[in-house]
Amino acid sequence: GENVEQHPSTLSVQEGDSAVIKCTYSDSASNYFPWYKQELGKRPQLIIDIRSNVGEKKDQRIAVTLNKTAKHFSLHITETQPEDSAVYFCAAISNFGNEKLTFGTGTRLTIIP
Amino acid sequence: KAGVTQTPRYLIKTRGQQVTLSCSPISGHRSVSWYQQTPGQGLQFLFEYFSETQRNKGNFPGRFSGRQFSNSRSEMNVSTLELGDSALYLCASSRNPGISDTQYFGPGTRLTVL
């Protein structure tokens, strides 16, 4: 089955700097890659997603890039703000075979004011 | 539009008991997935239901079961509770299963097994 690895597990960046979180996946059939943000005590919320037919997607300060050949995708947050502090999860799913969403282990991002 | 709701929000049980958790999806969503979230294992997929049928199942023992009703509401049941079952149980709904639509999470039910 699918295996998603996420790095780093913790990340601290100065407010205003950029943060990058990377994920790799094992199933080459995976073709949908969402990113979720989970603040302390709250539910995971989708912040951005990308499908395999595009290499990059951007939404204001957040962008995701996908390299299908290397089987990795990354989340980029620019001009970080204190409210970006949270745990971020990447995930992957394939629409072939077992269509279950497999999550990475999460990255705890801390923005230092 | 109301979001995904889960009841109860908190639950305390003792070993050996059983528990039933409930999830009401967003109106119009027919697919419901369940996840277990623990500090050590992260988000682990339990199962997915669509049109009252289980479509996928994760690697959990048979003590974990679920069902979906005709109105798309779903329940999951854990029998013979163990200490290791203490976790946040999240459900997520989408219009359709698989990659067709985004999953939206509920607030979760925090289960503590003593």
Side-chain angles (χ1 to χ4, degrees):
Chain A
E2 176 67 278
N3 181 46
V4 177
E5 294 191 358
Q6 183 172 349
H7 300 282
S9 56
T10 61
L11 179 62
S12 295
V13 301
Q14 209 71 36
E15 182 178 352
D17 288 350
S18 296
V20 180
I21 302 170
K22 299 181 180 180
C23 289
T24 60
Y25 60 98
S26 60
D27 187 353
S28 57
S30 289
N31 48 10
Y32 175 62
F33 308 91
W35 284 89
Y36 286 85
K37 173 184 179 182
Q38 188 175 27
E39 296 176 69
L40 191 62
K42 297 190 176 180
R43 72 190 76 188
Q45 294 206 306
L46 179 76
I47 54 171
I48 195 167
D49 57 13
I50 191 167
R51 296 181 189 268
S52 60
N53 56 345
V54 297
E56 184 174 359
K57 184 176 177 181
K58 195 173 181 181
D59 182 3
Q60 298 182 342
R61 298 185 297 108
I62 295 173
V64 58
T65 58
L66 171 65
N67 183 327
K68 285 217 73 180
T69 304
K71 291 191 283 187
H72 67 70
F73 56 111
S74 301
L75 177 71
H76 305 252
I77 307 175
T78 59
E79 299 170 21
T80 54
Q81 300 167 4
E83 53 265 35
D84 295 330
S85 293
V87 178
Y88 291 80
F89 293 94
C90 63
I93 188 172
S94 166
N95 66 343
F96 297 104
N98 194 357
E99 299 172 1
K100 58 175 184 155
L101 201 57
T102 302
F103 284 86
T105 49
T107 296
R108 182 174 298 280
L109 174 63
T110 302
I111 307 302
I112 305 165
Chain B
K1 186 185 279 191
V4 180
T5 58
Q6 291 185 246
T7 56
R9 294 293 311 278
Y10 302 91
L11 207 48
I12 299 176
K13 292 284 187 179
T14 56
R15 279 184 301 173
Q17 288 187 307
Q18 75 163 24
V19 66
T20 299
L21 312 181
S22 181
C23 172
S24 293
I26 293 171
S27 177
H29 286 196
R30 298 181 297 161
S31 175
V32 174
S33 297
W34 288 89
Y35 297 88
Q36 182 195 64
Q37 187 175 29
T38 59
Q41 298 296 318
L43 274 158
Q44 303 271 304
F45 173 79
L46 279 155
F47 26 65
E48 178 191 22
Y49 286 88
F50 176 71
S51 293
E52 302 176 65
T53 302
Q54 187 182 87
R55 290 189 71 250
N56 285 305
K57 192 175 190 307
N59 298 322
F60 279 82
R63 300 186 296 107
F64 291 81
S65 62
R67 59 178 176 168
Q68 186 179 36
F69 302 95
S70 58
N71 61 358
S72 296
R73 189 177 70 85
S74 178
E75 289 181 347
M76 68 163 280
N77 184 276
V78 188
S79 62
T80 321
L81 284 167
E82 300 177 0
L83 295 178
D85 296 334
S86 294
L88 180 68
Y89 290 89
L90 292 158
C91 77
S93 77
S94 60
R95 287 189 185 278
N96 295 294
I99 70 165
S100 304
D101 293 288
T102 301
Q103 290 191 7
Y104 296 90
F105 282 87
T109 294
R110 185 162 296 282
L111 172 65
T112 301
V113 182
L114 303 176

